[in-house]
Amino acid sequence: MDQHRKAPALPVAQRSNERPDPWRDEEDEARAPTFKALTREQAQALRAKDPPLSPWRVIMVQVGVGLVAALLAALVTGRQEVGWSLLYGAATVVVPGALMARGMTSRLSSVSPGASAVSFMLWEMVKIAVSIAMLMLAPRLVQNLSWPALLVGLVLCMKVYWLALLWRGRA
């Protein structure tokens, strides 16, 4: 007679071979923010309040930083090759960045979230490949290349991305 008894009902988490999450409790679930979809007007107001930063603005600031730094380097050192080296270093950041910005702002990149992710990875690989190729060609393209000046130009233009984050935070 004891063999035909039914087993007591167990909670779902114990019936399947899953263990209950010891880090999760009712208080956490009560405090968790709920997702609320925005209306069209709310989304437009949010975009107007916090507009996106154009990648072209960042590229143009990089161009300006590279030109000013190259002119200053040539004037301070009195050597044109230092200015050209610094300018080429800036170009190794600006040209690949412009290619990526062009690719990411195309219509094809914004078809769907999946296409955007694949496009981002593709253009990031192109950006890296072009940067490496430009660095490998530097000794052939810039006469009397100054590697320290090239690296200064490269680093200065890469730091513009941090400035863009600051612009974004302030806006």
Side-chain angles (χ1 to χ4, degrees):
M1 196 147 132
D2 289 334
Q3 295 173 352
H4 298 293
R5 269 197 202 165
K6 289 186 177 179
L10 296 174
V12 175
Q14 290 179 1
R15 271 187 253 144
S16 61
N17 290 329
E18 298 176 16
R19 293 183 181 205
D21 186 0
W23 301 104
R24 192 172 182 185
D25 61 3
E26 291 79 26
E27 287 180 26
D28 287 340
E29 290 177 10
R31 278 186 269 152
T34 57
F35 178 77
K36 180 184 169 195
L38 298 177
T39 64
R40 182 182 183 104
E41 293 79 24
Q42 289 172 327
Q44 288 174 340
L46 183 62
R47 281 192 198 108
K49 179 184 157 214
D50 191 22
L53 180 64
S54 169
W56 297 109
R57 180 178 177 197
V58 175
I59 297 295
M60 293 311 296
V61 171
Q62 286 177 327
V63 168
V65 166
L67 286 172
V68 168
L71 284 172
L72 283 174
L75 289 173
V76 168
T77 62
R79 296 174 46 206
Q80 281 188 345
E81 61 268 10
V82 172
W84 286 113
S85 297
L86 200 140
L87 189 62
Y88 191 84
T92 59
V93 174
V94 172
V95 171
L99 285 172
M100 184 172 179
R102 173 65 181 103
M104 290 302 301
T105 56
S106 71
R107 263 194 259 181
L108 186 60
S109 293
S110 59
V111 170
S112 70
S116 293
V118 170
S119 177
F120 175 78
M121 288 185 281
L122 172 75
W123 286 107
E124 186 63 30
M125 286 190 294
V126 168
K127 180 180 168 182
I128 292 168
V130 171
S131 297
I132 290 171
M134 287 181 73
L135 287 171
M136 290 175 68
L137 291 172
R140 293 183 184 167
L141 297 176
V142 180
Q143 294 190 349
N144 298 325
L145 178 69
S146 169
W147 282 102
L150 182 142
L151 292 174
V152 166
L154 190 125
V155 169
L156 282 175
C157 285
M158 286 192 328
K159 293 300 178 186
V160 171
Y161 292 125
W162 288 102
L163 287 176
L165 288 174
L166 292 176
W167 295 328
R168 182 82 177 140
R170 248 198 248 156

PDB file of all heavy atoms in Angstrom, residues 121-150:
ATOM      1  N   MET A 121      31.771  44.939 -36.955  1.00  0.00           N
ATOM      2  CA  MET A 121      32.933  44.054 -36.898  1.00  0.00           C
ATOM      3  C   MET A 121      33.725  44.102 -38.203  1.00  0.00           C
ATOM      4  O   MET A 121      34.956  44.132 -38.185  1.00  0.00           O
ATOM      5  CB  MET A 121      32.498  42.629 -36.570  1.00  0.00           C
ATOM      6  CG  MET A 121      32.053  42.463 -35.130  1.00  0.00           C
ATOM      7  SD  MET A 121      31.682  40.776 -34.683  1.00  0.00           S
ATOM      8  CE  MET A 121      30.065  40.594 -35.385  1.00  0.00           C
ATOM      9  N   LEU A 122      33.024  44.113 -39.327  1.00  0.00           N
ATOM     10  CA  LEU A 122      33.690  44.167 -40.619  1.00  0.00           C
ATOM     11  C   LEU A 122      34.502  45.452 -40.764  1.00  0.00           C
ATOM     12  O   LEU A 122      35.684  45.423 -41.111  1.00  0.00           O
ATOM     13  CB  LEU A 122      32.661  44.076 -41.753  1.00  0.00           C
ATOM     14  CG  LEU A 122      33.221  44.324 -43.148  1.00  0.00           C
ATOM     15  CD1 LEU A 122      33.997  43.119 -43.608  1.00  0.00           C
ATOM     16  CD2 LEU A 122      32.115  44.660 -44.125  1.00  0.00           C
ATOM     17  N   TRP A 123      33.885  46.599 -40.483  1.00  0.00           N
ATOM     18  CA  TRP A 123      34.581  47.869 -40.638  1.00  0.00           C
ATOM     19  C   TRP A 123      35.689  48.040 -39.605  1.00  0.00           C
ATOM     20  O   TRP A 123      36.687  48.705 -39.875  1.00  0.00           O
ATOM     21  CB  TRP A 123      33.595  49.034 -40.615  1.00  0.00           C
ATOM     22  CG  TRP A 123      32.837  49.091 -41.907  1.00  0.00           C
ATOM     23  CD1 TRP A 123      31.538  48.759 -42.108  1.00  0.00           C
ATOM     24  CD2 TRP A 123      33.363  49.462 -43.187  1.00  0.00           C
ATOM     25  NE1 TRP A 123      31.222  48.904 -43.442  1.00  0.00           N
ATOM     26  CE2 TRP A 123      32.322  49.341 -44.115  1.00  0.00           C
ATOM     27  CE3 TRP A 123      34.611  49.893 -43.625  1.00  0.00           C
ATOM     28  CZ2 TRP A 123      32.489  49.620 -45.466  1.00  0.00           C
ATOM     29  CZ3 TRP A 123      34.780  50.176 -44.965  1.00  0.00           C
ATOM     30  CH2 TRP A 123      33.731  50.038 -45.873  1.00  0.00           C
ATOM     31  N   GLU A 124      35.538  47.450 -38.442  1.00  0.00           N
ATOM     32  CA  GLU A 124      36.618  47.500 -37.455  1.00  0.00           C
ATOM     33  C   GLU A 124      37.824  46.708 -37.965  1.00  0.00           C
ATOM     34  O   GLU A 124      38.974  47.135 -37.805  1.00  0.00           O
ATOM     35  CB  GLU A 124      36.148  46.949 -36.105  1.00  0.00           C
ATOM     36  CG  GLU A 124      37.150  47.092 -35.000  1.00  0.00           C
ATOM     37  CD  GLU A 124      37.495  48.532 -34.642  1.00  0.00           C
ATOM     38  OE1 GLU A 124      36.651  49.429 -34.800  1.00  0.00           O
ATOM     39  OE2 GLU A 124      38.644  48.762 -34.202  1.00  0.00           O
ATOM     40  N   MET A 125      37.581  45.563 -38.606  1.00  0.00           N
ATOM     41  CA  MET A 125      38.693  44.789 -39.187  1.00  0.00           C
ATOM     42  C   MET A 125      39.362  45.564 -40.320  1.00  0.00           C
ATOM     43  O   MET A 125      40.587  45.562 -40.441  1.00  0.00           O
ATOM     44  CB  MET A 125      38.196  43.426 -39.672  1.00  0.00           C
ATOM     45  CG  MET A 125      37.914  42.457 -38.549  1.00  0.00           C
ATOM     46  SD  MET A 125      37.598  40.770 -39.085  1.00  0.00           S
ATOM     47  CE  MET A 125      36.078  40.947 -39.991  1.00  0.00           C
ATOM     48  N   VAL A 126      38.561  46.232 -41.155  1.00  0.00           N
ATOM     49  CA  VAL A 126      39.117  47.060 -42.227  1.00  0.00           C
ATOM     50  C   VAL A 126      39.970  48.170 -41.632  1.00  0.00           C
ATOM     51  O   VAL A 126      41.080  48.453 -42.106  1.00  0.00           O
ATOM     52  CB  VAL A 126      37.986  47.643 -43.116  1.00  0.00           C
ATOM     53  CG1 VAL A 126      38.508  48.729 -44.039  1.00  0.00           C
ATOM     54  CG2 VAL A 126      37.303  46.538 -43.909  1.00  0.00           C
ATOM     55  N   LYS A 127      39.474  48.795 -40.581  1.00  0.00           N
ATOM     56  CA  LYS A 127      40.199  49.885 -39.920  1.00  0.00           C
ATOM     57  C   LYS A 127      41.550  49.398 -39.402  1.00  0.00           C
ATOM     58  O   LYS A 127      42.584  50.053 -39.603  1.00  0.00           O
ATOM     59  CB  LYS A 127      39.340  50.430 -38.772  1.00  0.00           C
ATOM     60  CG  LYS A 127      39.953  51.556 -38.001  1.00  0.00           C
ATOM     61  CD  LYS A 127      38.991  51.995 -36.900  1.00  0.00           C
ATOM     62  CE  LYS A 127      39.646  52.922 -35.919  1.00  0.00           C
ATOM     63  NZ  LYS A 127      38.737  53.308 -34.852  1.00  0.00           N
ATOM     64  N   ILE A 128      41.574  48.261 -38.759  1.00  0.00           N
ATOM     65  CA  ILE A 128      42.822  47.711 -38.221  1.00  0.00           C
ATOM     66  C   ILE A 128      43.781  47.352 -39.349  1.00  0.00           C
ATOM     67  O   ILE A 128      44.973  47.668 -39.298  1.00  0.00           O
ATOM     68  CB  ILE A 128      42.532  46.494 -37.317  1.00  0.00           C
ATOM     69  CG1 ILE A 128      41.815  46.949 -36.048  1.00  0.00           C
ATOM     70  CG2 ILE A 128      43.817  45.739 -36.978  1.00  0.00           C
ATOM     71  CD1 ILE A 128      41.234  45.817 -35.217  1.00  0.00           C
ATOM     72  N   ALA A 129      43.266  46.704 -40.408  1.00  0.00           N
ATOM     73  CA  ALA A 129      44.109  46.296 -41.534  1.00  0.00           C
ATOM     74  C   ALA A 129      44.723  47.507 -42.239  1.00  0.00           C
ATOM     75  O   ALA A 129      45.917  47.507 -42.567  1.00  0.00           O
ATOM     76  CB  ALA A 129      43.298  45.456 -42.521  1.00  0.00           C
ATOM     77  N   VAL A 130      43.930  48.547 -42.451  1.00  0.00           N
ATOM     78  CA  VAL A 130      44.447  49.754 -43.110  1.00  0.00           C
ATOM     79  C   VAL A 130      45.487  50.433 -42.224  1.00  0.00           C
ATOM     80  O   VAL A 130      46.530  50.901 -42.706  1.00  0.00           O
ATOM     81  CB  VAL A 130      43.298  50.706 -43.494  1.00  0.00           C
ATOM     82  CG1 VAL A 130      43.824  52.050 -43.963  1.00  0.00           C
ATOM     83  CG2 VAL A 130      42.430  50.079 -44.577  1.00  0.00           C
ATOM     84  N   SER A 131      45.244  50.476 -40.917  1.00  0.00           N
ATOM     85  CA  SER A 131      46.213  51.078 -39.990  1.00  0.00           C
ATOM     86  C   SER A 131      47.547  50.335 -40.035  1.00  0.00           C
ATOM     87  O   SER A 131      48.620  50.958 -40.110  1.00  0.00           O
ATOM     88  CB  SER A 131      45.681  51.068 -38.559  1.00  0.00           C
ATOM     89  OG  SER A 131      44.531  51.851 -38.444  1.00  0.00           O
ATOM     90  N   ILE A 132      47.493  49.019 -40.000  1.00  0.00           N
ATOM     91  CA  ILE A 132      48.722  48.212 -40.044  1.00  0.00           C
ATOM     92  C   ILE A 132      49.439  48.418 -41.374  1.00  0.00           C
ATOM     93  O   ILE A 132      50.668  48.589 -41.407  1.00  0.00           O
ATOM     94  CB  ILE A 132      48.401  46.726 -39.786  1.00  0.00           C
ATOM     95  CG1 ILE A 132      47.980  46.530 -38.327  1.00  0.00           C
ATOM     96  CG2 ILE A 132      49.603  45.843 -40.120  1.00  0.00           C
ATOM     97  CD1 ILE A 132      47.431  45.154 -38.022  1.00  0.00           C
ATOM     98  N   ALA A 133      48.690  48.404 -42.465  1.00  0.00           N
ATOM     99  CA  ALA A 133      49.300  48.608 -43.784  1.00  0.00           C
ATOM    100  C   ALA A 133      49.968  49.978 -43.874  1.00  0.00           C
ATOM    101  O   ALA A 133      51.094  50.098 -44.391  1.00  0.00           O
ATOM    102  CB  ALA A 133      48.245  48.456 -44.875  1.00  0.00           C
ATOM    103  N   MET A 134      49.307  51.003 -43.368  1.00  0.00           N
ATOM    104  CA  MET A 134      49.898  52.346 -43.407  1.00  0.00           C
ATOM    105  C   MET A 134      51.165  52.425 -42.564  1.00  0.00           C
ATOM    106  O   MET A 134      52.142  53.074 -42.960  1.00  0.00           O
ATOM    107  CB  MET A 134      48.878  53.388 -42.946  1.00  0.00           C
ATOM    108  CG  MET A 134      47.784  53.653 -43.949  1.00  0.00           C
ATOM    109  SD  MET A 134      46.606  54.898 -43.409  1.00  0.00           S
ATOM    110  CE  MET A 134      47.607  56.393 -43.587  1.00  0.00           C
ATOM    111  N   LEU A 135      51.174  51.768 -41.408  1.00  0.00           N
ATOM    112  CA  LEU A 135      52.379  51.775 -40.573  1.00  0.00           C
ATOM    113  C   LEU A 135      53.520  51.013 -41.248  1.00  0.00           C
ATOM    114  O   LEU A 135      54.683  51.424 -41.164  1.00  0.00           O
ATOM    115  CB  LEU A 135      52.080  51.190 -39.198  1.00  0.00           C
ATOM    116  CG  LEU A 135      51.252  52.082 -38.275  1.00  0.00           C
ATOM    117  CD1 LEU A 135      50.842  51.315 -37.025  1.00  0.00           C
ATOM    118  CD2 LEU A 135      52.016  53.337 -37.909  1.00  0.00           C
ATOM    119  N   MET A 136      53.189  49.926 -41.938  1.00  0.00           N
ATOM    120  CA  MET A 136      54.227  49.166 -42.637  1.00  0.00           C
ATOM    121  C   MET A 136      54.795  49.945 -43.826  1.00  0.00           C
ATOM    122  O   MET A 136      55.975  49.806 -44.158  1.00  0.00           O
ATOM    123  CB  MET A 136      53.672  47.821 -43.094  1.00  0.00           C
ATOM    124  CG  MET A 136      53.390  46.867 -41.942  1.00  0.00           C
ATOM    125  SD  MET A 136      52.603  45.350 -42.455  1.00  0.00           S
ATOM    126  CE  MET A 136      53.914  44.577 -43.371  1.00  0.00           C
ATOM    127  N   LEU A 137      53.971  50.771 -44.460  1.00  0.00           N
ATOM    128  CA  LEU A 137      54.419  51.558 -45.615  1.00  0.00           C
ATOM    129  C   LEU A 137      55.097  52.869 -45.223  1.00  0.00           C
ATOM    130  O   LEU A 137      55.683  53.539 -46.084  1.00  0.00           O
ATOM    131  CB  LEU A 137      53.228  51.856 -46.526  1.00  0.00           C
ATOM    132  CG  LEU A 137      52.636  50.664 -47.278  1.00  0.00           C
ATOM    133  CD1 LEU A 137      51.351  51.061 -47.975  1.00  0.00           C
ATOM    134  CD2 LEU A 137      53.651  50.104 -48.258  1.00  0.00           C
ATOM    135  N   ALA A 138      55.027  53.252 -43.965  1.00  0.00           N
ATOM    136  CA  ALA A 138      55.562  54.545 -43.517  1.00  0.00           C
ATOM    137  C   ALA A 138      57.015  54.780 -43.931  1.00  0.00           C
ATOM    138  O   ALA A 138      57.333  55.845 -44.461  1.00  0.00           O
ATOM    139  CB  ALA A 138      55.388  54.692 -42.011  1.00  0.00           C
ATOM    140  N   PRO A 139      57.935  53.825 -43.723  1.00  0.00           N
ATOM    141  CA  PRO A 139      59.335  54.101 -44.096  1.00  0.00           C
ATOM    142  C   PRO A 139      59.521  54.337 -45.599  1.00  0.00           C
ATOM    143  O   PRO A 139      60.435  55.045 -46.007  1.00  0.00           O
ATOM    144  CB  PRO A 139      60.095  52.847 -43.648  1.00  0.00           C
ATOM    145  CG  PRO A 139      59.212  52.179 -42.668  1.00  0.00           C
ATOM    146  CD  PRO A 139      57.810  52.544 -43.043  1.00  0.00           C
ATOM    147  N   ARG A 140      58.655  53.748 -46.407  1.00  0.00           N
ATOM    148  CA  ARG A 140      58.767  53.927 -47.859  1.00  0.00           C
ATOM    149  C   ARG A 140      58.129  55.230 -48.325  1.00  0.00           C
ATOM    150  O   ARG A 140      58.535  55.782 -49.349  1.00  0.00           O
ATOM    151  CB  ARG A 140      58.110  52.757 -48.584  1.00  0.00           C
ATOM    152  CG  ARG A 140      58.845  51.465 -48.359  1.00  0.00           C
ATOM    153  CD  ARG A 140      58.219  50.350 -49.125  1.00  0.00           C
ATOM    154  NE  ARG A 140      58.898  49.099 -48.803  1.00  0.00           N
ATOM    155  CZ  ARG A 140      58.448  47.932 -49.121  1.00  0.00           C
ATOM    156  NH1 ARG A 140      57.312  47.815 -49.775  1.00  0.00           N
ATOM    157  NH2 ARG A 140      59.120  46.850 -48.796  1.00  0.00           N
ATOM    158  N   LEU A 141      57.109  55.704 -47.615  1.00  0.00           N
ATOM    159  CA  LEU A 141      56.375  56.880 -48.060  1.00  0.00           C
ATOM    160  C   LEU A 141      56.892  58.194 -47.477  1.00  0.00           C
ATOM    161  O   LEU A 141      56.745  59.245 -48.090  1.00  0.00           O
ATOM    162  CB  LEU A 141      54.881  56.723 -47.724  1.00  0.00           C
ATOM    163  CG  LEU A 141      54.163  55.572 -48.424  1.00  0.00           C
ATOM    164  CD1 LEU A 141      52.729  55.465 -47.926  1.00  0.00           C
ATOM    165  CD2 LEU A 141      54.188  55.751 -49.931  1.00  0.00           C
ATOM    166  N   VAL A 142      57.451  58.141 -46.281  1.00  0.00           N
ATOM    167  CA  VAL A 142      57.934  59.354 -45.618  1.00  0.00           C
ATOM    168  C   VAL A 142      59.459  59.299 -45.582  1.00  0.00           C
ATOM    169  O   VAL A 142      60.032  58.428 -44.934  1.00  0.00           O
ATOM    170  CB  VAL A 142      57.365  59.482 -44.180  1.00  0.00           C
ATOM    171  CG1 VAL A 142      57.869  60.750 -43.514  1.00  0.00           C
ATOM    172  CG2 VAL A 142      55.859  59.430 -44.196  1.00  0.00           C
ATOM    173  N   GLN A 143      60.080  60.239 -46.275  1.00  0.00           N
ATOM    174  CA  GLN A 143      61.539  60.267 -46.300  1.00  0.00           C
ATOM    175  C   GLN A 143      62.063  60.754 -44.955  1.00  0.00           C
ATOM    176  O   GLN A 143      61.495  61.657 -44.341  1.00  0.00           O
ATOM    177  CB  GLN A 143      62.022  61.160 -47.426  1.00  0.00           C
ATOM    178  CG  GLN A 143      61.662  60.588 -48.769  1.00  0.00           C
ATOM    179  CD  GLN A 143      62.346  61.324 -49.897  1.00  0.00           C
ATOM    180  OE1 GLN A 143      62.925  62.380 -49.709  1.00  0.00           O
ATOM    181  NE2 GLN A 143      62.296  60.731 -51.077  1.00  0.00           N
ATOM    182  N   ASN A 144      63.165  60.152 -44.508  1.00  0.00           N
ATOM    183  CA  ASN A 144      63.773  60.470 -43.209  1.00  0.00           C
ATOM    184  C   ASN A 144      62.738  60.382 -42.087  1.00  0.00           C
ATOM    185  O   ASN A 144      62.604  61.287 -41.259  1.00  0.00           O
ATOM    186  CB  ASN A 144      64.424  61.847 -43.221  1.00  0.00           C
ATOM    187  CG  ASN A 144      65.543  61.937 -44.231  1.00  0.00           C
ATOM    188  OD1 ASN A 144      66.260  60.967 -44.450  1.00  0.00           O
ATOM    189  ND2 ASN A 144      65.684  63.095 -44.848  1.00  0.00           N
ATOM    190  N   LEU A 145      62.009  59.284 -42.075  1.00  0.00           N
ATOM    191  CA  LEU A 145      60.932  59.085 -41.108  1.00  0.00           C
ATOM    192  C   LEU A 145      61.441  59.165 -39.676  1.00  0.00           C
ATOM    193  O   LEU A 145      62.460  58.577 -39.327  1.00  0.00           O
ATOM    194  CB  LEU A 145      60.273  57.714 -41.338  1.00  0.00           C
ATOM    195  CG  LEU A 145      59.163  57.318 -40.384  1.00  0.00           C
ATOM    196  CD1 LEU A 145      57.935  58.196 -40.606  1.00  0.00           C
ATOM    197  CD2 LEU A 145      58.799  55.854 -40.572  1.00  0.00           C
ATOM    198  N   SER A 146      60.724  59.892 -38.851  1.00  0.00           N
ATOM    199  CA  SER A 146      60.998  59.959 -37.418  1.00  0.00           C
ATOM    200  C   SER A 146      59.899  59.157 -36.715  1.00  0.00           C
ATOM    201  O   SER A 146      58.763  59.610 -36.600  1.00  0.00           O
ATOM    202  CB  SER A 146      60.988  61.406 -36.938  1.00  0.00           C
ATOM    203  OG  SER A 146      60.990  61.451 -35.532  1.00  0.00           O
ATOM    204  N   TRP A 147      60.262  57.959 -36.263  1.00  0.00           N
ATOM    205  CA  TRP A 147      59.273  57.106 -35.606  1.00  0.00           C
ATOM    206  C   TRP A 147      58.702  57.745 -34.344  1.00  0.00           C
ATOM    207  O   TRP A 147      57.496  57.651 -34.114  1.00  0.00           O
ATOM    208  CB  TRP A 147      59.858  55.721 -35.307  1.00  0.00           C
ATOM    209  CG  TRP A 147      59.898  54.845 -36.519  1.00  0.00           C
ATOM    210  CD1 TRP A 147      60.977  54.550 -37.286  1.00  0.00           C
ATOM    211  CD2 TRP A 147      58.788  54.182 -37.128  1.00  0.00           C
ATOM    212  NE1 TRP A 147      60.618  53.730 -38.329  1.00  0.00           N
ATOM    213  CE2 TRP A 147      59.276  53.485 -38.261  1.00  0.00           C
ATOM    214  CE3 TRP A 147      57.421  54.101 -36.847  1.00  0.00           C
ATOM    215  CZ2 TRP A 147      58.453  52.726 -39.081  1.00  0.00           C
ATOM    216  CZ3 TRP A 147      56.612  53.338 -37.674  1.00  0.00           C
ATOM    217  CH2 TRP A 147      57.123  52.663 -38.774  1.00  0.00           C
ATOM    218  N   PRO A 148      59.497  58.402 -33.517  1.00  0.00           N
ATOM    219  CA  PRO A 148      58.888  59.045 -32.341  1.00  0.00           C
ATOM    220  C   PRO A 148      57.837  60.094 -32.730  1.00  0.00           C
ATOM    221  O   PRO A 148      56.778  60.172 -32.105  1.00  0.00           O
ATOM    222  CB  PRO A 148      60.081  59.685 -31.620  1.00  0.00           C
ATOM    223  CG  PRO A 148      61.253  58.867 -32.036  1.00  0.00           C
ATOM    224  CD  PRO A 148      60.970  58.463 -33.447  1.00  0.00           C
ATOM    225  N   ALA A 149      58.119  60.881 -33.758  1.00  0.00           N
ATOM    226  CA  ALA A 149      57.144  61.889 -34.192  1.00  0.00           C
ATOM    227  C   ALA A 149      55.892  61.214 -34.748  1.00  0.00           C
ATOM    228  O   ALA A 149      54.771  61.665 -34.487  1.00  0.00           O
ATOM    229  CB  ALA A 149      57.769  62.803 -35.251  1.00  0.00           C
ATOM    230  N   LEU A 150      56.082  60.137 -35.506  1.00  0.00           N
ATOM    231  CA  LEU A 150      54.930  59.399 -36.035  1.00  0.00           C
ATOM    232  C   LEU A 150      54.064  58.894 -34.887  1.00  0.00           C
ATOM    233  O   LEU A 150      52.835  59.017 -34.919  1.00  0.00           O
ATOM    234  CB  LEU A 150      55.404  58.230 -36.904  1.00  0.00           C
ATOM    235  CG  LEU A 150      54.313  57.406 -37.565  1.00  0.00           C
ATOM    236  CD1 LEU A 150      54.729  56.998 -38.965  1.00  0.00           C
ATOM    237  CD2 LEU A 150      53.968  56.180 -36.756  1.00  0.00           C
TER     238      LEU A 150
END
